[in-house]
Protein backbone atom coordinates (compact mmCIF):
# COMPACT_ATOMS: atom_id res chain seq x y z
CA UNK A 1 0.00 0.00 0.00
CA UNK A 2 1.41 3.37 -1.00
CA UNK A 3 1.09 6.36 1.22
CA UNK A 4 0.04 9.64 -0.28
CA UNK A 5 2.28 12.58 0.38
CA UNK A 6 0.62 15.67 1.87
CA UNK A 7 -0.26 18.22 -0.77
CA UNK A 8 1.89 21.29 -0.98
CA UNK A 9 -0.07 24.49 -1.63
CA UNK A 10 -3.75 25.02 -2.25
CA UNK A 11 -6.13 22.07 -1.89
CA UNK A 12 -9.82 22.66 -2.56
CA UNK A 13 -12.42 21.35 -0.12
CA UNK A 14 -10.32 20.27 2.84
CA UNK A 15 -11.78 20.24 6.35
CA UNK A 16 -14.77 22.35 5.41
CA UNK A 17 -14.79 25.53 3.39
CA UNK A 18 -12.10 28.11 4.06
CA UNK A 19 -13.47 30.65 1.55
CA UNK A 20 -17.19 31.03 0.92
CA UNK A 21 -18.08 33.24 -2.05
CA UNK A 22 -21.55 34.77 -2.12
CA UNK A 23 -23.03 36.78 -4.97
CA UNK A 24 -24.79 39.96 -3.87
CA UNK A 25 -26.75 42.28 -6.13
CA UNK A 26 -29.16 43.88 -3.67
CA UNK A 27 -32.11 41.63 -4.56
CA UNK A 28 -34.05 39.96 -1.75
CA UNK A 29 -32.80 36.50 -2.73
CA UNK A 30 -29.17 37.68 -2.82
CA UNK A 31 -29.56 39.23 0.64
CA UNK A 32 -30.94 35.91 1.93
CA UNK A 33 -28.00 34.15 0.27
CA UNK A 34 -25.59 36.54 2.01
CA UNK A 35 -27.22 35.84 5.38
CA UNK A 36 -27.00 32.08 4.79
CA UNK A 37 -23.38 32.32 3.59
CA UNK A 38 -22.39 34.43 6.60
CA UNK A 39 -23.78 31.78 8.95
CA UNK A 40 -21.91 29.08 7.05
CA UNK A 41 -18.68 31.08 7.14
CA UNK A 42 -19.08 31.80 10.86
CA UNK A 43 -19.69 28.15 11.75
CA UNK A 44 -16.76 26.96 9.62
CA UNK A 45 -14.37 29.74 10.60
CA UNK A 46 -14.14 30.59 6.89
CA UNK A 47 -13.62 33.86 5.09
CA UNK A 48 -16.83 35.27 3.60
CA UNK A 49 -16.08 36.82 0.21
CA UNK A 50 -19.04 39.00 -0.78
CA UNK A 51 -19.02 39.61 -4.53
CA UNK A 52 -20.90 42.23 -6.50
CA UNK A 53 -20.62 41.91 -10.27
CA UNK A 54 -20.95 45.26 -12.00
CA UNK A 55 -22.80 44.78 -15.28
CA UNK A 56 -21.12 45.95 -18.43
CA UNK A 57 -23.74 47.49 -20.72
CA UNK A 58 -22.09 49.00 -23.79
CA UNK A 59 -25.50 49.70 -25.38
CA UNK A 60 -26.51 51.87 -22.41
CA UNK A 61 -23.19 53.68 -22.50
CA UNK A 62 -23.61 54.30 -26.23
CA UNK A 63 -26.93 55.99 -25.49
CA UNK A 64 -25.27 58.28 -22.98
CA UNK A 65 -26.42 56.44 -19.85
CA UNK A 66 -23.76 56.78 -17.09
CA UNK A 67 -23.56 53.01 -16.50
CA UNK A 68 -20.13 52.89 -14.84
CA UNK A 69 -20.92 55.57 -12.27
CA UNK A 70 -24.32 54.00 -11.53
CA UNK A 71 -22.85 50.54 -10.90
CA UNK A 72 -20.07 52.08 -8.80
CA UNK A 73 -22.75 53.77 -6.67
CA UNK A 74 -24.57 50.45 -6.27
CA UNK A 75 -21.33 48.73 -5.22
CA UNK A 76 -20.53 51.48 -2.73
CA UNK A 77 -24.07 51.36 -1.34
CA UNK A 78 -23.94 47.58 -0.89
CA UNK A 79 -20.54 47.79 0.81
CA UNK A 80 -21.85 50.49 3.17
CA UNK A 81 -24.91 48.36 4.04
CA UNK A 82 -22.68 45.36 4.76
CA UNK A 83 -20.36 47.41 6.98
CA UNK A 84 -23.34 48.79 8.91
CA UNK A 85 -24.80 45.31 9.42
CA UNK A 86 -21.39 43.94 10.47
CA UNK A 87 -21.00 46.73 13.05
CA UNK A 88 -24.47 45.99 14.48
CA UNK A 89 -23.55 42.32 14.90
CA UNK A 90 -20.04 42.88 16.25
CA UNK A 91 -19.51 40.68 19.29
CA UNK A 92 -22.58 38.57 18.49
CA UNK A 93 -21.42 37.17 15.16
CA UNK A 94 -17.78 37.49 14.32
CA UNK A 95 -17.32 36.76 10.64
CA UNK A 96 -14.23 37.57 8.63
CA UNK A 97 -15.41 39.12 5.39
CA UNK A 98 -14.23 40.96 2.33
CA UNK A 99 -16.15 42.83 -0.33
CA UNK A 100 -15.10 42.43 -3.95
CA UNK A 101 -16.40 43.90 -7.18
CA UNK A 102 -15.92 42.37 -10.60
CA UNK A 103 -17.16 43.56 -14.00
CA UNK A 104 -19.09 41.52 -16.53
CA UNK A 105 -22.14 39.32 -16.59
CA UNK A 106 -23.07 37.74 -13.24
CA UNK A 107 -22.07 34.19 -14.20
CA UNK A 108 -18.64 35.10 -15.58
CA UNK A 109 -18.02 37.50 -12.70
CA UNK A 110 -18.82 34.87 -10.06
CA UNK A 111 -16.70 32.24 -11.83
CA UNK A 112 -13.78 34.69 -11.98
CA UNK A 113 -14.28 35.59 -8.31
CA UNK A 114 -14.47 31.96 -7.19
CA UNK A 115 -11.33 31.09 -9.15
CA UNK A 116 -9.29 34.10 -8.04
CA UNK A 117 -10.37 33.80 -4.39
CA UNK A 118 -9.86 30.01 -4.40
CA UNK A 119 -13.43 29.42 -3.23
CA UNK A 120 -14.39 26.20 -1.52
CA UNK A 121 -18.11 26.98 -1.81
CA UNK A 122 -20.34 29.38 -3.74
CA UNK A 123 -23.70 30.65 -2.46
CA UNK A 124 -26.20 32.50 -4.65
CA UNK A 125 -29.81 33.54 -4.42
CA UNK A 126 -32.43 31.91 -6.61
CA UNK A 127 -33.19 33.86 -9.75
CA UNK A 128 -36.11 36.25 -9.56
CA UNK A 129 -36.21 36.75 -13.33
CA UNK A 130 -38.73 34.97 -15.56
CA UNK A 131 -36.30 35.17 -18.49
CA UNK A 132 -33.88 32.84 -16.75
CA UNK A 133 -36.24 29.94 -17.36
CA UNK A 134 -35.29 30.21 -21.02
CA UNK A 135 -31.55 30.95 -20.97
CA UNK A 136 -30.74 29.43 -17.57
CA UNK A 137 -30.13 31.13 -14.27
CA UNK A 138 -26.73 31.99 -12.89
CA UNK A 139 -27.26 29.34 -10.19
CA UNK A 140 -27.99 26.57 -12.71
CA UNK A 141 -24.98 27.56 -14.81
CA UNK A 142 -22.72 27.52 -11.72
CA UNK A 143 -24.00 24.06 -10.72
CA UNK A 144 -23.46 22.76 -14.27
CA UNK A 145 -19.90 24.11 -14.23
CA UNK A 146 -19.25 21.57 -11.47
CA UNK A 147 -16.21 23.36 -10.07
CA UNK A 148 -17.43 24.12 -6.55
CA UNK A 149 -20.24 23.10 -4.26
CA UNK A 150 -23.04 25.57 -5.01
CA UNK A 151 -25.84 26.41 -2.60
CA UNK A 152 -28.90 28.14 -4.04
CA UNK A 153 -30.93 30.05 -1.46
CA UNK A 154 -34.61 30.73 -2.29
Amino acid sequence: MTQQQPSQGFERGTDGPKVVVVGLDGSDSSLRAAAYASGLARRQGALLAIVYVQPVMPAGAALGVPVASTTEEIAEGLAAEIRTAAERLRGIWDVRWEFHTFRGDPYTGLVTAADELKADAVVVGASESAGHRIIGSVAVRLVKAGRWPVTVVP
Side-chain angles (χ1 to χ4, degrees):
M1 180 178 219
T2 61
Q3 266 189 314
Q4 292 183 343
Q5 296 296 319
S7 173
Q8 301 296 332
F10 175 70
E11 183 179 355
R12 184 170 304 207
T14 59
D15 300 327
K18 296 297 177 202
V19 177
V20 176
V21 167
V22 61
L24 183 67
D25 63 7
S27 66
D28 288 343
S29 66
S30 76
L31 293 171
R32 287 189 295 272
Y36 180 89
S38 67
L40 176 63
R42 180 186 56 82
R43 288 186 299 278
Q44 295 293 328
L47 171 67
L48 176 64
I50 302 163
V51 175
Y52 170 65
V53 180
Q54 296 179 342
V56 176
M57 295 179 270
L63 296 172
V65 177
V67 175
S69 63
T70 301
T71 59
E72 285 290 333
E73 289 173 20
I74 292 170
E76 289 171 12
L78 288 171
E81 285 182 44
I82 294 162
R83 282 188 195 93
T84 300
E87 283 302 314
R88 275 197 313 263
L89 297 173
R90 184 183 299 274
I92 299 170
W93 274 28
D94 286 325
V95 177
R96 292 180 307 122
W97 63 275
E98 299 173 349
F99 184 78
H100 300 270
T101 59
F102 290 82
R103 290 190 184 274
D105 68 275
Y107 170 76
T108 304
L110 286 171
V111 166
T112 301
D115 282 345
E116 287 184 11
L117 299 169
K118 295 183 172 38
D120 294 298
V122 178
V123 180
V124 292
S127 174
E128 296 178 352
S129 170
H132 287 163
R133 291 187 201 113
I134 298 166
I135 61 169
S137 70
V138 171
V140 169
R141 292 171 67 196
L142 287 168
V143 170
K144 285 182 178 181
R147 292 162 62 181
W148 322 267
V150 177
T151 302
V152 182
V153 178

